[in-house]
Amino acid sequence: MLTTLKTSYTDTRAADLAWALGREPLPALAVLDLELSGAKLQLRLLGASHQVLLEEEGRHCSETVACMPGSSTPLPLGVSKRVGEWEYEFAARVETLSHGSFAGRAQELLALVADHPNGLAGTFPGSPHAFTAMLAQRHEGQVRWRTWHAYPQEGQLVVTRTRIGARMPATL
């Protein structure tokens, strides 16, 4: 699903993104509710990026990646931790692209997510390449999602990947 977000576009920077687990639901500009083999997942586009709410078998988890005033937790490159009975893994990276490459990558990602049944993307007014996009799936008992946060004024794309599910047995 692709939507135009009804909010003013502000020049936030990739470096302003912060990460948090366990936050209450924040006001959302667009929401996609999904049922993935018993897991209820809500993808939420915020004025300042994204939030994912997961519920399965009475367990809950929320992930927020956004420009959060007063937050002291910057966007980490990686996190691996227990969340109740779940194993949670998060990874982020920043891609810096030329203007032409950025426009092409933005169009490619928006087309991918807009046509996917488990995808949600929102473009911000003011720039055709300012967007946040999310794509979720269930794979081998785990819920996974990827997000893309575009900052065309900087030529930067913040890409995140999250995986959460039952503890996986060690493999040799």
Side-chain angles (χ1 to χ4, degrees), residues 34 36-43 52-56 86-89 135-146 161-166:
L34 300 171
L36 301 175
S37 302
K40 293 180 182 177
L41 194 66
Q42 188 176 75
L43 306 179
V52 177
L53 306 177
L54 171 64
E55 178 185 343
E56 184 178 29
W86 285 326
E87 289 289 330
Y88 170 90
E89 291 183 10
L135 191 58
Q137 69 174 353
R138 178 115 187 181
H139 181 70
E140 296 179 355
Q142 296 183 328
V143 178
R144 300 172 182 208
W145 58 89
R146 295 186 56 138
R161 183 187 78 239
T162 301
R163 179 172 69 180
I164 188 168

PDB file of all heavy atoms in Angstrom, residues 34 36-43 52-56 86-89 135-146 161-166:
ATOM      1  N   LEU A  34      -1.739  -6.564   9.817  1.00  0.00           N
ATOM      2  CA  LEU A  34      -1.458  -7.834   9.158  1.00  0.00           C
ATOM      3  C   LEU A  34      -1.658  -8.995  10.121  1.00  0.00           C
ATOM      4  O   LEU A  34      -1.434  -8.851  11.320  1.00  0.00           O
ATOM      5  CB  LEU A  34      -0.009  -7.864   8.659  1.00  0.00           C
ATOM      6  CG  LEU A  34       0.409  -6.809   7.645  1.00  0.00           C
ATOM      7  CD1 LEU A  34       1.917  -6.853   7.430  1.00  0.00           C
ATOM      8  CD2 LEU A  34      -0.342  -7.012   6.344  1.00  0.00           C
ATOM      9  N   LEU A  36      -0.067 -12.717  10.280  1.00  0.00           N
ATOM     10  CA  LEU A  36       0.951 -13.574   9.673  1.00  0.00           C
ATOM     11  C   LEU A  36       1.044 -14.875  10.458  1.00  0.00           C
ATOM     12  O   LEU A  36       1.766 -14.959  11.447  1.00  0.00           O
ATOM     13  CB  LEU A  36       2.312 -12.866   9.651  1.00  0.00           C
ATOM     14  CG  LEU A  36       2.395 -11.542   8.896  1.00  0.00           C
ATOM     15  CD1 LEU A  36       3.768 -10.907   9.081  1.00  0.00           C
ATOM     16  CD2 LEU A  36       2.095 -11.733   7.432  1.00  0.00           C
ATOM     17  N   SER A  37       0.276 -15.863  10.061  1.00  0.00           N
ATOM     18  CA  SER A  37       0.279 -17.187  10.703  1.00  0.00           C
ATOM     19  C   SER A  37       0.151 -17.082  12.216  1.00  0.00           C
ATOM     20  O   SER A  37       0.971 -17.604  12.959  1.00  0.00           O
ATOM     21  CB  SER A  37       1.553 -17.958  10.340  1.00  0.00           C
ATOM     22  OG  SER A  37       1.661 -18.096   8.954  1.00  0.00           O
ATOM     23  N   GLY A  38      -0.866 -16.385  12.678  1.00  0.00           N
ATOM     24  CA  GLY A  38      -1.128 -16.270  14.106  1.00  0.00           C
ATOM     25  C   GLY A  38      -0.515 -15.063  14.781  1.00  0.00           C
ATOM     26  O   GLY A  38      -0.861 -14.749  15.912  1.00  0.00           O
ATOM     27  N   ALA A  39       0.385 -14.395  14.128  1.00  0.00           N
ATOM     28  CA  ALA A  39       0.985 -13.184  14.696  1.00  0.00           C
ATOM     29  C   ALA A  39       0.244 -11.967  14.152  1.00  0.00           C
ATOM     30  O   ALA A  39       0.020 -11.855  12.950  1.00  0.00           O
ATOM     31  CB  ALA A  39       2.464 -13.097  14.335  1.00  0.00           C
ATOM     32  N   LYS A  40      -0.153 -11.083  15.052  1.00  0.00           N
ATOM     33  CA  LYS A  40      -0.778  -9.829  14.649  1.00  0.00           C
ATOM     34  C   LYS A  40       0.307  -8.772  14.601  1.00  0.00           C
ATOM     35  O   LYS A  40       1.004  -8.547  15.592  1.00  0.00           O
ATOM     36  CB  LYS A  40      -1.877  -9.427  15.627  1.00  0.00           C
ATOM     37  CG  LYS A  40      -3.057 -10.358  15.604  1.00  0.00           C
ATOM     38  CD  LYS A  40      -4.111  -9.914  16.587  1.00  0.00           C
ATOM     39  CE  LYS A  40      -5.266 -10.896  16.574  1.00  0.00           C
ATOM     40  NZ  LYS A  40      -6.277 -10.536  17.576  1.00  0.00           N
ATOM     41  N   LEU A  41       0.438  -8.159  13.457  1.00  0.00           N
ATOM     42  CA  LEU A  41       1.477  -7.166  13.242  1.00  0.00           C
ATOM     43  C   LEU A  41       0.817  -5.887  12.755  1.00  0.00           C
ATOM     44  O   LEU A  41      -0.053  -5.928  11.888  1.00  0.00           O
ATOM     45  CB  LEU A  41       2.462  -7.689  12.189  1.00  0.00           C
ATOM     46  CG  LEU A  41       3.790  -6.982  12.050  1.00  0.00           C
ATOM     47  CD1 LEU A  41       4.637  -7.159  13.305  1.00  0.00           C
ATOM     48  CD2 LEU A  41       4.550  -7.525  10.848  1.00  0.00           C
ATOM     49  N   GLN A  42       1.222  -4.784  13.319  1.00  0.00           N
ATOM     50  CA  GLN A  42       0.728  -3.497  12.864  1.00  0.00           C
ATOM     51  C   GLN A  42       1.918  -2.652  12.436  1.00  0.00           C
ATOM     52  O   GLN A  42       2.795  -2.340  13.240  1.00  0.00           O
ATOM     53  CB  GLN A  42      -0.066  -2.781  13.960  1.00  0.00           C
ATOM     54  CG  GLN A  42      -0.741  -1.524  13.443  1.00  0.00           C
ATOM     55  CD  GLN A  42      -1.614  -0.869  14.497  1.00  0.00           C
ATOM     56  OE1 GLN A  42      -1.101  -0.240  15.403  1.00  0.00           O
ATOM     57  NE2 GLN A  42      -2.929  -1.035  14.356  1.00  0.00           N
ATOM     58  N   LEU A  43       1.957  -2.322  11.148  1.00  0.00           N
ATOM     59  CA  LEU A  43       2.973  -1.425  10.607  1.00  0.00           C
ATOM     60  C   LEU A  43       2.407  -0.019  10.683  1.00  0.00           C
ATOM     61  O   LEU A  43       1.299   0.232  10.215  1.00  0.00           O
ATOM     62  CB  LEU A  43       3.299  -1.795   9.159  1.00  0.00           C
ATOM     63  CG  LEU A  43       3.714  -3.242   8.886  1.00  0.00           C
ATOM     64  CD1 LEU A  43       3.988  -3.448   7.402  1.00  0.00           C
ATOM     65  CD2 LEU A  43       4.912  -3.628   9.717  1.00  0.00           C
ATOM     66  N   VAL A  52       6.466  -0.489  14.781  1.00  0.00           N
ATOM     67  CA  VAL A  52       5.878  -1.798  14.526  1.00  0.00           C
ATOM     68  C   VAL A  52       5.392  -2.355  15.852  1.00  0.00           C
ATOM     69  O   VAL A  52       6.139  -2.366  16.836  1.00  0.00           O
ATOM     70  CB  VAL A  52       6.904  -2.769  13.890  1.00  0.00           C
ATOM     71  CG1 VAL A  52       6.291  -4.146  13.705  1.00  0.00           C
ATOM     72  CG2 VAL A  52       7.406  -2.225  12.559  1.00  0.00           C
ATOM     73  N   LEU A  53       4.148  -2.824  15.865  1.00  0.00           N
ATOM     74  CA  LEU A  53       3.572  -3.447  17.048  1.00  0.00           C
ATOM     75  C   LEU A  53       3.304  -4.909  16.709  1.00  0.00           C
ATOM     76  O   LEU A  53       2.671  -5.214  15.690  1.00  0.00           O
ATOM     77  CB  LEU A  53       2.259  -2.761  17.442  1.00  0.00           C
ATOM     78  CG  LEU A  53       2.317  -1.246  17.635  1.00  0.00           C
ATOM     79  CD1 LEU A  53       0.931  -0.701  17.956  1.00  0.00           C
ATOM     80  CD2 LEU A  53       3.312  -0.869  18.713  1.00  0.00           C
ATOM     81  N   LEU A  54       3.796  -5.812  17.550  1.00  0.00           N
ATOM     82  CA  LEU A  54       3.646  -7.248  17.331  1.00  0.00           C
ATOM     83  C   LEU A  54       2.958  -7.859  18.538  1.00  0.00           C
ATOM     84  O   LEU A  54       3.307  -7.555  19.681  1.00  0.00           O
ATOM     85  CB  LEU A  54       5.026  -7.894  17.141  1.00  0.00           C
ATOM     86  CG  LEU A  54       5.086  -9.418  17.108  1.00  0.00           C
ATOM     87  CD1 LEU A  54       4.317  -9.987  15.914  1.00  0.00           C
ATOM     88  CD2 LEU A  54       6.533  -9.887  17.086  1.00  0.00           C
ATOM     89  N   GLU A  55       1.978  -8.731  18.254  1.00  0.00           N
ATOM     90  CA  GLU A  55       1.306  -9.488  19.310  1.00  0.00           C
ATOM     91  C   GLU A  55       1.165 -10.925  18.827  1.00  0.00           C
ATOM     92  O   GLU A  55       0.721 -11.166  17.702  1.00  0.00           O
ATOM     93  CB  GLU A  55      -0.074  -8.910  19.606  1.00  0.00           C
ATOM     94  CG  GLU A  55      -0.826  -9.685  20.662  1.00  0.00           C
ATOM     95  CD  GLU A  55      -2.250  -9.179  20.852  1.00  0.00           C
ATOM     96  OE1 GLU A  55      -2.569  -8.068  20.417  1.00  0.00           O
ATOM     97  OE2 GLU A  55      -3.036  -9.939  21.441  1.00  0.00           O
ATOM     98  N   GLU A  56       1.591 -11.853  19.687  1.00  0.00           N
ATOM     99  CA  GLU A  56       1.455 -13.269  19.359  1.00  0.00           C
ATOM    100  C   GLU A  56       1.375 -14.069  20.654  1.00  0.00           C
ATOM    101  O   GLU A  56       2.234 -13.916  21.528  1.00  0.00           O
ATOM    102  CB  GLU A  56       2.652 -13.756  18.525  1.00  0.00           C
ATOM    103  CG  GLU A  56       2.521 -15.192  18.085  1.00  0.00           C
ATOM    104  CD  GLU A  56       3.683 -15.646  17.215  1.00  0.00           C
ATOM    105  OE1 GLU A  56       4.800 -15.117  17.384  1.00  0.00           O
ATOM    106  OE2 GLU A  56       3.463 -16.524  16.379  1.00  0.00           O
ATOM    107  N   TRP A  86      11.054 -14.214  23.460  1.00  0.00           N
ATOM    108  CA  TRP A  86      11.508 -14.044  22.084  1.00  0.00           C
ATOM    109  C   TRP A  86      12.971 -13.643  22.005  1.00  0.00           C
ATOM    110  O   TRP A  86      13.509 -13.035  22.923  1.00  0.00           O
ATOM    111  CB  TRP A  86      10.723 -12.940  21.388  1.00  0.00           C
ATOM    112  CG  TRP A  86       9.326 -13.270  20.977  1.00  0.00           C
ATOM    113  CD1 TRP A  86       8.852 -14.474  20.543  1.00  0.00           C
ATOM    114  CD2 TRP A  86       8.222 -12.376  20.945  1.00  0.00           C
ATOM    115  NE1 TRP A  86       7.521 -14.364  20.229  1.00  0.00           N
ATOM    116  CE2 TRP A  86       7.104 -13.089  20.469  1.00  0.00           C
ATOM    117  CE3 TRP A  86       8.064 -11.037  21.268  1.00  0.00           C
ATOM    118  CZ2 TRP A  86       5.853 -12.511  20.303  1.00  0.00           C
ATOM    119  CZ3 TRP A  86       6.816 -10.460  21.099  1.00  0.00           C
ATOM    120  CH2 TRP A  86       5.733 -11.198  20.629  1.00  0.00           C
ATOM    121  N   GLU A  87      13.577 -13.954  20.884  1.00  0.00           N
ATOM    122  CA  GLU A  87      14.881 -13.419  20.518  1.00  0.00           C
ATOM    123  C   GLU A  87      14.608 -12.288  19.523  1.00  0.00           C
ATOM    124  O   GLU A  87      13.882 -12.484  18.548  1.00  0.00           O
ATOM    125  CB  GLU A  87      15.756 -14.478  19.849  1.00  0.00           C
ATOM    126  CG  GLU A  87      16.245 -15.553  20.778  1.00  0.00           C
ATOM    127  CD  GLU A  87      17.286 -15.052  21.754  1.00  0.00           C
ATOM    128  OE1 GLU A  87      18.029 -14.123  21.432  1.00  0.00           O
ATOM    129  OE2 GLU A  87      17.348 -15.613  22.867  1.00  0.00           O
ATOM    130  N   TYR A  88      15.188 -11.138  19.777  1.00  0.00           N
ATOM    131  CA  TYR A  88      14.984  -9.953  18.938  1.00  0.00           C
ATOM    132  C   TYR A  88      16.328  -9.549  18.345  1.00  0.00           C
ATOM    133  O   TYR A  88      17.324  -9.461  19.070  1.00  0.00           O
ATOM    134  CB  TYR A  88      14.426  -8.819  19.807  1.00  0.00           C
ATOM    135  CG  TYR A  88      14.381  -7.472  19.143  1.00  0.00           C
ATOM    136  CD1 TYR A  88      13.265  -7.066  18.424  1.00  0.00           C
ATOM    137  CD2 TYR A  88      15.455  -6.592  19.237  1.00  0.00           C
ATOM    138  CE1 TYR A  88      13.224  -5.816  17.812  1.00  0.00           C
ATOM    139  CE2 TYR A  88      15.416  -5.348  18.628  1.00  0.00           C
ATOM    140  CZ  TYR A  88      14.299  -4.970  17.916  1.00  0.00           C
ATOM    141  OH  TYR A  88      14.268  -3.732  17.318  1.00  0.00           O
ATOM    142  N   GLU A  89      16.346  -9.336  17.042  1.00  0.00           N
ATOM    143  CA  GLU A  89      17.555  -8.861  16.371  1.00  0.00           C
ATOM    144  C   GLU A  89      17.198  -7.691  15.482  1.00  0.00           C
ATOM    145  O   GLU A  89      16.222  -7.750  14.721  1.00  0.00           O
ATOM    146  CB  GLU A  89      18.190  -9.965  15.522  1.00  0.00           C
ATOM    147  CG  GLU A  89      18.788 -11.081  16.335  1.00  0.00           C
ATOM    148  CD  GLU A  89      19.475 -12.121  15.462  1.00  0.00           C
ATOM    149  OE1 GLU A  89      19.659 -11.883  14.253  1.00  0.00           O
ATOM    150  OE2 GLU A  89      19.821 -13.174  16.014  1.00  0.00           O
ATOM    151  N   LEU A 135       8.124  -3.435   4.968  1.00  0.00           N
ATOM    152  CA  LEU A 135       7.720  -4.697   4.354  1.00  0.00           C
ATOM    153  C   LEU A 135       7.907  -5.799   5.394  1.00  0.00           C
ATOM    154  O   LEU A 135       8.972  -5.904   6.002  1.00  0.00           O
ATOM    155  CB  LEU A 135       8.602  -4.962   3.134  1.00  0.00           C
ATOM    156  CG  LEU A 135       8.229  -6.069   2.184  1.00  0.00           C
ATOM    157  CD1 LEU A 135       6.832  -5.871   1.617  1.00  0.00           C
ATOM    158  CD2 LEU A 135       9.248  -6.121   1.053  1.00  0.00           C
ATOM    159  N   ALA A 136       6.850  -6.614   5.620  1.00  0.00           N
ATOM    160  CA  ALA A 136       6.896  -7.652   6.661  1.00  0.00           C
ATOM    161  C   ALA A 136       6.670  -9.027   6.064  1.00  0.00           C
ATOM    162  O   ALA A 136       6.061  -9.173   4.998  1.00  0.00           O
ATOM    163  CB  ALA A 136       5.828  -7.373   7.716  1.00  0.00           C
ATOM    164  N   GLN A 137       7.165 -10.047   6.781  1.00  0.00           N
ATOM    165  CA  GLN A 137       6.948 -11.432   6.385  1.00  0.00           C
ATOM    166  C   GLN A 137       7.094 -12.345   7.593  1.00  0.00           C
ATOM    167  O   GLN A 137       7.649 -11.965   8.614  1.00  0.00           O
ATOM    168  CB  GLN A 137       7.927 -11.861   5.300  1.00  0.00           C
ATOM    169  CG  GLN A 137       9.364 -11.968   5.792  1.00  0.00           C
ATOM    170  CD  GLN A 137      10.304 -12.534   4.735  1.00  0.00           C
ATOM    171  OE1 GLN A 137       9.880 -12.966   3.684  1.00  0.00           O
ATOM    172  NE2 GLN A 137      11.582 -12.523   5.031  1.00  0.00           N
ATOM    173  N   ARG A 138       6.595 -13.554   7.430  1.00  0.00           N
ATOM    174  CA  ARG A 138       6.796 -14.605   8.428  1.00  0.00           C
ATOM    175  C   ARG A 138       7.643 -15.667   7.753  1.00  0.00           C
ATOM    176  O   ARG A 138       7.326 -16.098   6.641  1.00  0.00           O
ATOM    177  CB  ARG A 138       5.453 -15.185   8.845  1.00  0.00           C
ATOM    178  CG  ARG A 138       5.582 -16.304   9.849  1.00  0.00           C
ATOM    179  CD  ARG A 138       4.972 -15.892  11.124  1.00  0.00           C
ATOM    180  NE  ARG A 138       5.235 -16.872  12.146  1.00  0.00           N
ATOM    181  CZ  ARG A 138       4.792 -16.743  13.362  1.00  0.00           C
ATOM    182  NH1 ARG A 138       4.089 -15.701  13.676  1.00  0.00           N
ATOM    183  NH2 ARG A 138       5.066 -17.636  14.260  1.00  0.00           N
ATOM    184  N   HIS A 139       8.722 -16.077   8.409  1.00  0.00           N
ATOM    185  CA  HIS A 139       9.625 -17.052   7.804  1.00  0.00           C
ATOM    186  C   HIS A 139      10.199 -17.938   8.904  1.00  0.00           C
ATOM    187  O   HIS A 139      10.769 -17.440   9.869  1.00  0.00           O
ATOM    188  CB  HIS A 139      10.751 -16.324   7.060  1.00  0.00           C
ATOM    189  CG  HIS A 139      11.717 -17.231   6.375  1.00  0.00           C
ATOM    190  ND1 HIS A 139      11.380 -17.967   5.270  1.00  0.00           N
ATOM    191  CD2 HIS A 139      13.008 -17.526   6.656  1.00  0.00           C
ATOM    192  CE1 HIS A 139      12.428 -18.669   4.892  1.00  0.00           C
ATOM    193  NE2 HIS A 139      13.426 -18.431   5.715  1.00  0.00           N
ATOM    194  N   GLU A 140      10.006 -19.245   8.763  1.00  0.00           N
ATOM    195  CA  GLU A 140      10.534 -20.221   9.713  1.00  0.00           C
ATOM    196  C   GLU A 140      10.206 -19.871  11.163  1.00  0.00           C
ATOM    197  O   GLU A 140      11.063 -19.882  12.037  1.00  0.00           O
ATOM    198  CB  GLU A 140      12.037 -20.387   9.517  1.00  0.00           C
ATOM    199  CG  GLU A 140      12.409 -20.952   8.158  1.00  0.00           C
ATOM    200  CD  GLU A 140      13.907 -21.095   7.960  1.00  0.00           C
ATOM    201  OE1 GLU A 140      14.696 -20.672   8.829  1.00  0.00           O
ATOM    202  OE2 GLU A 140      14.294 -21.658   6.919  1.00  0.00           O
ATOM    203  N   GLY A 141       8.942 -19.527  11.413  1.00  0.00           N
ATOM    204  CA  GLY A 141       8.490 -19.248  12.768  1.00  0.00           C
ATOM    205  C   GLY A 141       8.862 -17.886  13.304  1.00  0.00           C
ATOM    206  O   GLY A 141       8.552 -17.565  14.446  1.00  0.00           O
ATOM    207  N   GLN A 142       9.525 -17.082  12.518  1.00  0.00           N
ATOM    208  CA  GLN A 142       9.917 -15.745  12.957  1.00  0.00           C
ATOM    209  C   GLN A 142       9.173 -14.691  12.148  1.00  0.00           C
ATOM    210  O   GLN A 142       8.849 -14.899  10.983  1.00  0.00           O
ATOM    211  CB  GLN A 142      11.411 -15.537  12.785  1.00  0.00           C
ATOM    212  CG  GLN A 142      12.245 -16.457  13.646  1.00  0.00           C
ATOM    213  CD  GLN A 142      13.720 -16.164  13.500  1.00  0.00           C
ATOM    214  OE1 GLN A 142      14.180 -15.765  12.445  1.00  0.00           O
ATOM    215  NE2 GLN A 142      14.453 -16.359  14.576  1.00  0.00           N
ATOM    216  N   VAL A 143       8.926 -13.568  12.779  1.00  0.00           N
ATOM    217  CA  VAL A 143       8.358 -12.419  12.086  1.00  0.00           C
ATOM    218  C   VAL A 143       9.527 -11.498  11.753  1.00  0.00           C
ATOM    219  O   VAL A 143      10.387 -11.241  12.601  1.00  0.00           O
ATOM    220  CB  VAL A 143       7.309 -11.688  12.960  1.00  0.00           C
ATOM    221  CG1 VAL A 143       6.763 -10.463  12.242  1.00  0.00           C
ATOM    222  CG2 VAL A 143       6.168 -12.645  13.328  1.00  0.00           C
ATOM    223  N   ARG A 144       9.547 -11.044  10.515  1.00  0.00           N
ATOM    224  CA  ARG A 144      10.642 -10.190  10.057  1.00  0.00           C
ATOM    225  C   ARG A 144      10.068  -8.980   9.344  1.00  0.00           C
ATOM    226  O   ARG A 144       9.028  -9.077   8.697  1.00  0.00           O
ATOM    227  CB  ARG A 144      11.534 -10.953   9.065  1.00  0.00           C
ATOM    228  CG  ARG A 144      12.145 -12.193   9.664  1.00  0.00           C
ATOM    229  CD  ARG A 144      12.852 -13.004   8.614  1.00  0.00           C
ATOM    230  NE  ARG A 144      13.380 -14.219   9.215  1.00  0.00           N
ATOM    231  CZ  ARG A 144      14.444 -14.852   8.774  1.00  0.00           C
ATOM    232  NH1 ARG A 144      15.096 -14.407   7.729  1.00  0.00           N
ATOM    233  NH2 ARG A 144      14.864 -15.946   9.377  1.00  0.00           N
ATOM    234  N   TRP A 145      10.766  -7.865   9.481  1.00  0.00           N
ATOM    235  CA  TRP A 145      10.394  -6.698   8.706  1.00  0.00           C
ATOM    236  C   TRP A 145      11.631  -5.906   8.339  1.00  0.00           C
ATOM    237  O   TRP A 145      12.646  -5.973   9.001  1.00  0.00           O
ATOM    238  CB  TRP A 145       9.357  -5.821   9.403  1.00  0.00           C
ATOM    239  CG  TRP A 145       9.724  -5.301  10.751  1.00  0.00           C
ATOM    240  CD1 TRP A 145      10.388  -4.137  11.041  1.00  0.00           C
ATOM    241  CD2 TRP A 145       9.415  -5.893  12.032  1.00  0.00           C
ATOM    242  NE1 TRP A 145      10.514  -3.980  12.398  1.00  0.00           N
ATOM    243  CE2 TRP A 145       9.925  -5.042  13.031  1.00  0.00           C
ATOM    244  CE3 TRP A 145       8.756  -7.063  12.411  1.00  0.00           C
ATOM    245  CZ2 TRP A 145       9.794  -5.319  14.384  1.00  0.00           C
ATOM    246  CZ3 TRP A 145       8.625  -7.332  13.761  1.00  0.00           C
ATOM    247  CH2 TRP A 145       9.145  -6.469  14.729  1.00  0.00           C
ATOM    248  N   ARG A 146      11.494  -5.200   7.221  1.00  0.00           N
ATOM    249  CA  ARG A 146      12.544  -4.312   6.739  1.00  0.00           C
ATOM    250  C   ARG A 146      11.921  -2.931   6.576  1.00  0.00           C
ATOM    251  O   ARG A 146      10.740  -2.817   6.268  1.00  0.00           O
ATOM    252  CB  ARG A 146      13.078  -4.790   5.389  1.00  0.00           C
ATOM    253  CG  ARG A 146      13.781  -6.125   5.497  1.00  0.00           C
ATOM    254  CD  ARG A 146      14.412  -6.481   4.204  1.00  0.00           C
ATOM    255  NE  ARG A 146      15.320  -5.390   3.820  1.00  0.00           N
ATOM    256  CZ  ARG A 146      16.521  -5.553   3.301  1.00  0.00           C
ATOM    257  NH1 ARG A 146      16.966  -6.737   3.067  1.00  0.00           N
ATOM    258  NH2 ARG A 146      17.273  -4.531   2.995  1.00  0.00           N
ATOM    259  N   ARG A 161      16.578  -3.766   9.429  1.00  0.00           N
ATOM    260  CA  ARG A 161      16.127  -5.151   9.314  1.00  0.00           C
ATOM    261  C   ARG A 161      15.887  -5.669  10.733  1.00  0.00           C
ATOM    262  O   ARG A 161      16.749  -5.540  11.600  1.00  0.00           O
ATOM    263  CB  ARG A 161      17.201  -5.984   8.618  1.00  0.00           C
ATOM    264  CG  ARG A 161      16.812  -7.426   8.391  1.00  0.00           C
ATOM    265  CD  ARG A 161      17.976  -8.245   7.850  1.00  0.00           C
ATOM    266  NE  ARG A 161      18.877  -8.559   8.959  1.00  0.00           N
ATOM    267  CZ  ARG A 161      20.155  -8.222   9.023  1.00  0.00           C
ATOM    268  NH1 ARG A 161      20.722  -7.547   8.072  1.00  0.00           N
ATOM    269  NH2 ARG A 161      20.889  -8.551  10.064  1.00  0.00           N
ATOM    270  N   THR A 162      14.713  -6.259  10.957  1.00  0.00           N
ATOM    271  CA  THR A 162      14.371  -6.786  12.277  1.00  0.00           C
ATOM    272  C   THR A 162      13.885  -8.225  12.128  1.00  0.00           C
ATOM    273  O   THR A 162      13.196  -8.561  11.167  1.00  0.00           O
ATOM    274  CB  THR A 162      13.263  -5.939  12.933  1.00  0.00           C
ATOM    275  OG1 THR A 162      13.729  -4.601  13.058  1.00  0.00           O
ATOM    276  CG2 THR A 162      12.893  -6.478  14.304  1.00  0.00           C
ATOM    277  N   ARG A 163      14.262  -9.027  13.116  1.00  0.00           N
ATOM    278  CA  ARG A 163      13.810 -10.414  13.180  1.00  0.00           C
ATOM    279  C   ARG A 163      13.466 -10.699  14.633  1.00  0.00           C
ATOM    280  O   ARG A 163      14.248 -10.393  15.538  1.00  0.00           O
ATOM    281  CB  ARG A 163      14.925 -11.322  12.693  1.00  0.00           C
ATOM    282  CG  ARG A 163      14.582 -12.784  12.738  1.00  0.00           C
ATOM    283  CD  ARG A 163      15.638 -13.602  12.079  1.00  0.00           C
ATOM    284  NE  ARG A 163      16.860 -13.565  12.916  1.00  0.00           N
ATOM    285  CZ  ARG A 163      17.976 -14.201  12.603  1.00  0.00           C
ATOM    286  NH1 ARG A 163      18.077 -14.853  11.481  1.00  0.00           N
ATOM    287  NH2 ARG A 163      19.002 -14.160  13.410  1.00  0.00           N
ATOM    288  N   ILE A 164      12.279 -11.286  14.859  1.00  0.00           N
ATOM    289  CA  ILE A 164      11.875 -11.623  16.213  1.00  0.00           C
ATOM    290  C   ILE A 164      11.120 -12.947  16.186  1.00  0.00           C
ATOM    291  O   ILE A 164      10.360 -13.214  15.260  1.00  0.00           O
ATOM    292  CB  ILE A 164      11.018 -10.501  16.858  1.00  0.00           C
ATOM    293  CG1 ILE A 164      10.762 -10.789  18.334  1.00  0.00           C
ATOM    294  CG2 ILE A 164       9.738 -10.271  16.081  1.00  0.00           C
ATOM    295  CD1 ILE A 164      10.180  -9.601  19.096  1.00  0.00           C
ATOM    296  N   GLY A 165      11.372 -13.776  17.171  1.00  0.00           N
ATOM    297  CA  GLY A 165      10.684 -15.050  17.236  1.00  0.00           C
ATOM    298  C   GLY A 165      11.227 -15.912  18.344  1.00  0.00           C
ATOM    299  O   GLY A 165      12.064 -15.480  19.144  1.00  0.00           O
ATOM    300  N   ALA A 166      10.761 -17.151  18.364  1.00  0.00           N
ATOM    301  CA  ALA A 166      11.214 -18.100  19.374  1.00  0.00           C
ATOM    302  C   ALA A 166      12.716 -18.273  19.266  1.00  0.00           C
ATOM    303  O   ALA A 166      13.293 -18.136  18.195  1.00  0.00           O
ATOM    304  CB  ALA A 166      10.514 -19.429  19.193  1.00  0.00           C
TER     305      ALA A 166
END
